[in-house]
Amino acid sequence: MTAHNFNAGPAALPAPVLERVRAELLDYRGRGMSVMEMSHRSKEFEEVNADAEARFKRLAGVGDGWRVLFLQGGASTQFAMIPMNLVPRGRHADMIVTGAWGEKAHDEAVLLCGSRVAASTKEGGYRRVPRRAEITLSPDAAYVHLTTNETIHGVQWHDVPDMGGVPLIADMSSDVFCRPLDAARFSLIYAGAQKNLGPSGVTVVMLRESLIASANKDVPTMLRYSTHAKNNSLYNTPPAFAVYVLGLVLKWLEDGGGLGVMQAFNEEKASLLYSTIDESAGYFTGHAEKGSRSIMNVTFRLPDEAKEKAFLAEAVAAGMVGLAGHRSVGGCRASIYNAVPLASVQALASLMREFSRRG
Ligand code: PMP
């Protein structure tokens, strides 16, 4: 039986993608082996790599002037690579912190350059994104960094404010391609693949070529964007199998009608859970304020920890996996990324209704 997979990442992959991987596992297109076993210098893999890059650019709606890189080290390595490459000596980054991941990005930038908190919603317990008036930008910042979706707190930006002329950088690890992307607003976006894009092991960085050209030169080779851009992400041995599966996930997104269709589907799933919370007469409490609710990670609490424990146990018995909140905040979290089917969300919503009726 297939599990109802609410894992936060690694997370559910689309069933048609897994079926395709299975079909090609012992014999990729007549080559007599899997993509895992091929040289990354082969014509076959170069095609896989180029196809994934082209699909990412098409879905993001960008053309020349942008590069898509497939890197390793997770989004966590980007917390360091971004300041190392893009903050000139003596300058600083402005950080907007709306949850645990933004905090980590800020902490890392502090180690490497000046890093200034331009806004933080920590005081209220990370329940919302800041209003524009609460963001104090400094005109000489090298860039502004924000996290479009805070995976642990379930807080998402739905309308990114104008940052003036300062380049905007976004960690989109847990909501990339959950809806159409207005790339013109950004200078660099990045995402670990293991939530909306594919298996873990590959991190996508999409950035403007102009940033690569003006980046700091005194950066170790593997941590320089220019190294990977010059070599089409094939400077060293890439996470070949992860890039192959990522390409299949992007194909699934395109074949399914693209990001507008995906957004409608994700909103349908999220509103099913949020309406279950709102109609529970206070039995369930959503963590995020309504205007900042994530359509990817739905975070909520029950009346007390004993009930949360009992609810999570019933969920497991009903085949639902991954619903415990992150260990740092507790409670419950349903991660409902692109590949999570409506049927899983319906099953969860009805368990929530039934459990709350019992009291
Ligand atoms: N940013 C966000 C928003 C995340 O959710 C995560 C992982 N959960 C990370 C960064 C860190 O990603 P990685 O584990 O790929 O380093």
Side-chain angles (χ1 to χ4, degrees):
M1 190 187 92
T2 309
H4 291 303
N5 187 348
F6 296 102
N7 281 328
L13 285 164
V17 167
L18 294 173
E19 279 156 15
R20 174 83 177 264
V21 170
R22 180 174 60 186
E24 292 180 338
L25 194 59
L26 296 186
D27 185 9
Y28 177 77
R29 301 186 190 177
R31 304 310 191 277
M33 65 182 81
S34 71
V35 176
M36 256 185 290
E37 302 160 285
M38 283 178 186
S39 166
H40 60 291
R41 306 284 172 210
S42 63
K43 191 172 106 329
E44 288 82 359
F45 186 73
E46 278 188 1
E47 268 172 30
V48 167
N49 193 56
D51 178 71
E53 184 182 335
R55 284 185 191 281
F56 197 96
K57 284 177 90 170
R58 267 203 307 275
L59 282 160
V62 302
D64 293 345
W66 286 87
R67 293 302 304 268
V68 172
L69 309 176
F70 300 131
L71 306 181
Q72 298 186 68
S76 301
T77 297
Q78 293 312 304
F79 295 163
M81 262 178 93
I82 293 166
M84 285 173 107
N85 281 268
L86 304 181
V87 182
R89 223 175 277 292
R91 302 265 302 278
H92 71 277
D94 267 359
M95 311 294 284
I96 300 178
V97 182
T98 53
W101 293 108
E103 262 184 34
K104 285 215 159 88
H106 169 63
D107 291 348
E108 198 69 3
V110 166
L111 295 175
L112 297 158
C113 63
S115 183
R116 187 183 153 268
V117 176
S120 168
T121 51
K122 184 172 189 159
E123 209 165 282
Y126 293 133
R127 291 175 190 275
R128 63 177 181 91
V129 301
R131 290 176 281 276
R132 179 64 184 86
E134 295 172 310
I135 306 172
T136 55
L137 296 177
S138 54
D140 57 337
Y143 56 79
V144 188
H145 177 283
L146 56 78
T147 312
T148 47
N149 184 66
E150 280 287 353
T151 321
I152 292 174
H153 292 88
V155 165
Q156 188 175 28
W157 290 84
H158 295 295
D159 191 13
V160 174
D162 183 37
M163 302 294 174
V166 186
L168 181 57
I169 292 184
D171 176 358
M172 297 194 177
S173 291
S174 51
D175 69 347
V176 62
F177 291 167
C178 77
R179 56 192 174 190
L181 171 66
D182 185 5
R185 304 287 307 279
F186 300 94
S187 289
L188 181 154
I189 65 151
Y190 63 102
Q194 64 271 19
K195 299 157 198 305
N196 255 354
L197 297 175
S200 60
V202 59
T203 303
V204 182
V205 177
M206 186 177 91
L207 77 172
R208 293 181 190 268
E209 273 178 350
S210 53
L211 280 193
I212 303 173
S214 63
N216 295 331
K217 305 285 182 277
D218 57 347
V219 175
T221 311
M222 270 298 285
L223 299 177
R224 248 182 272 145
Y225 290 122
S226 62
T227 302
H228 301 285
K230 253 182 251 152
N231 292 281
N232 296 321
S233 308
L234 297 172
Y235 170 73
N236 71 323
T237 317
F241 199 73
V243 172
Y244 155 69
V245 181
L246 175 129
L248 294 179
V249 172
L250 299 178
K251 180 178 186 317
W252 170 79
L253 269 171
E254 287 194 298
D255 292 351
L259 302 182
V261 173
M262 191 44 73
Q263 176 174 18
F265 177 58
N266 286 327
E267 283 174 350
E268 181 184 1
K269 289 185 289 181
S271 74
L272 193 54
L273 295 183
Y274 286 120
S275 61
T276 304
I277 290 168
D278 292 342
E279 288 158 16
S280 70
Y283 189 85
F284 297 105
T285 334
H287 176 78
E289 286 183 15
K290 283 192 180 163
S292 299
R293 282 176 161 176
S294 169
I295 61 168
M296 295 279 97
N297 308 99
V298 178
T299 45
F300 59 95
R301 309 239 36 165
L302 278 74
D304 56 55
E305 280 184 22
K307 290 216 164 64
E308 279 167 1
K309 224 173 133 196
F311 174 74
L312 290 169
E314 279 199 30
V316 168
M320 298 177 198
V321 174
L323 287 169
H326 189 270
R327 60 191 183 282
S328 63
V329 295
C332 302
R333 168 178 59 174
S335 296
I336 48 171
Y337 300 122
N338 289 352
V340 173
L342 181 61
S344 293
V345 178
Q346 285 168 332
L348 173 58
S350 54
L351 177 69
M352 287 169 73
R353 277 194 298 268
E354 193 200 304
F355 193 89
S356 63
R357 254 198 306 272
R358 272 187 271 135

